[in-house]
């Protein structure tokens, strides 16, 4: 199972929408404390609850009606993988390190939709709804997230605490132990909150991490 997912991830990386991708550069690398790079396929772990940022082809029953995003308690679910991409106006390339302050996009690997937010109310807490929207040929600024590294770090690494702040609404990607009754497996709400709180800290967890450009 792990090997098949790894092969799928590498195939997606090669065709992930970056121009001039070198197949040799798409070799997967996993390293504790290593740098997180554009093109990597990762899971984001909520520090407080240890749930992974998750999505699936299930729409919200309220708000936007777009594809729902939750926190998932198990680390081995393939619906928790996200591809890190730069914005279209960025000069960043696959394999580039990601600095604090960078604006990034997260594409859900399974459904190809983008992590998104807007002013609709989230279902359980009434905060900002976080959904998945669009696809390979459809995206807007509601898919833009600014990386904020906690502490003095300048470049995103796997062992660093980070926040993701939504560019359009100013809401931080947030989760808490409010659980959905209609979704199995103990899934909890993911939403946007404009205040900095302990519950909007995330860490890069499992994944396929591309080597930094120029590294051997």
């Amino acid at each position: 199972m792990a090997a098949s997912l790894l092969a799928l991830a590498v195939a997606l990386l090669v065709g992930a929408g970056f121009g001039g991708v070198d197949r040799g550069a798409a070799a997967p690398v996993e390293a504790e404390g290593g740098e997180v790079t554009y093109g990597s396929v990762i899971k984001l772990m909520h520090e407080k609850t240890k749930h992974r940022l998750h999505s699936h082809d299930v729409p919200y029953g309220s708000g936007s009606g777009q594809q729902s995003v939750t926190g998932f308690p198990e680390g081995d679910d393939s619906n928790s993988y996200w591809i890190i991409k730069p914005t279209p106006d960025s000069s960043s390339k696959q394999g580039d390190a990601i600095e604090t302050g960078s604006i990034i996009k997260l594409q859900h690997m399974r459904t190809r939709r983008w992590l998104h937010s807007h002013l609709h109310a989230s279902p359980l807490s009434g905060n900002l709804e976080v959904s998945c929207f669009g696809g390979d040929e459809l995206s807007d600024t509601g898919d833009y997230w600014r990386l904020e590294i906690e502490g003095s770090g300048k470049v995103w690494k796997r062992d660093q605490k980070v926040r993701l702040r939504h560019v359009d609404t100013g809401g931080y990607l947030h989760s808490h132990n409010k659980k959905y009754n209609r979704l199995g497996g103990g899934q909890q709400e993911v939403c946007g909150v404009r205040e900095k709180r302990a519950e909007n800290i995330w860490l890069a967890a499992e994944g396929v991490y591309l080597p930094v450009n120029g590294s051997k």
Side-chain angles (χ1 to χ4, degrees):
M1 177 69 171
S4 63
L5 282 175
L6 188 65
L8 174 61
V10 172
L12 284 169
L13 288 171
V14 171
F18 295 90
V21 174
D22 178 359
R23 287 178 182 269
V29 169
E30 296 217 27
E32 282 298 329
E35 292 180 357
V36 180
T37 53
Y38 287 112
S40 294
V41 180
I42 73 167
K43 295 183 180 181
L44 282 172
M45 183 177 73
H46 186 240
E47 190 204 27
K48 197 84 169 173
T49 64
K50 311 306 179 192
H51 283 48
R52 271 62 172 180
L53 184 69
H54 181 89
S55 191
H56 34 235
D57 198 7
V58 176
Y60 283 121
S62 62
S64 69
Q66 293 175 1
Q67 182 172 304
S68 56
V69 173
T70 65
F72 195 80
E74 305 298 330
D76 61 353
D77 193 288
S78 61
N79 279 312
S80 301
Y81 281 110
W82 303 83
I83 307 167
I84 310 171
K85 295 190 178 183
T87 57
D89 59 352
S90 170
S91 61
S92 297
K93 308 179 298 296
Q94 179 168 286
D96 283 352
I98 307 172
E99 298 181 351
T100 191
S102 298
I103 298 175
I104 67 172
K105 299 171 67 181
L106 291 171
Q107 187 174 33
H108 189 240
M109 190 181 81
R110 284 278 188 183
T111 64
R112 311 297 290 174
R113 296 190 176 104
W114 304 98
L115 186 70
H116 185 87
S117 190
H118 36 222
L119 296 177
H120 290 284
S122 63
L124 302 184
S125 63
N127 290 308
L128 299 167
E129 183 189 271
V130 172
S131 64
C132 272
F133 166 81
D136 289 323
E137 305 301 324
L138 178 62
S139 178
D140 62 26
T141 59
D143 308 330
Y144 289 9
W145 299 84
R146 188 181 303 278
L147 176 72
E148 296 183 4
I149 297 173
E150 286 288 285
S152 58
K154 301 296 184 187
V155 176
W156 190 6
K157 295 184 178 180
R158 287 188 65 184
D159 57 358
Q160 286 177 317
K161 299 175 183 180
V162 301
R163 286 184 170 89
L164 292 172
R165 190 172 194 182
H166 190 244
V167 171
D168 281 359
T169 65
Y172 287 100
L173 186 66
H174 183 94
S175 193
H176 41 211
N177 60 5
K178 294 183 183 296
K179 301 289 195 299
Y180 286 101
N181 292 326
R182 71 185 184 93
L183 297 174
Q187 295 180 62
Q188 66 189 30
E189 185 181 58
V190 170
C191 57
V193 171
R194 290 193 174 98
E195 302 83 21
K196 277 191 178 183
R197 300 181 190 172
E199 291 85 359
N200 41 57
I201 291 178
W202 301 80
L203 296 101
E206 305 87 354
V208 180
Y209 290 80
L210 296 189
V212 178
N213 282 327
S215 64
K216 304 209 178 191

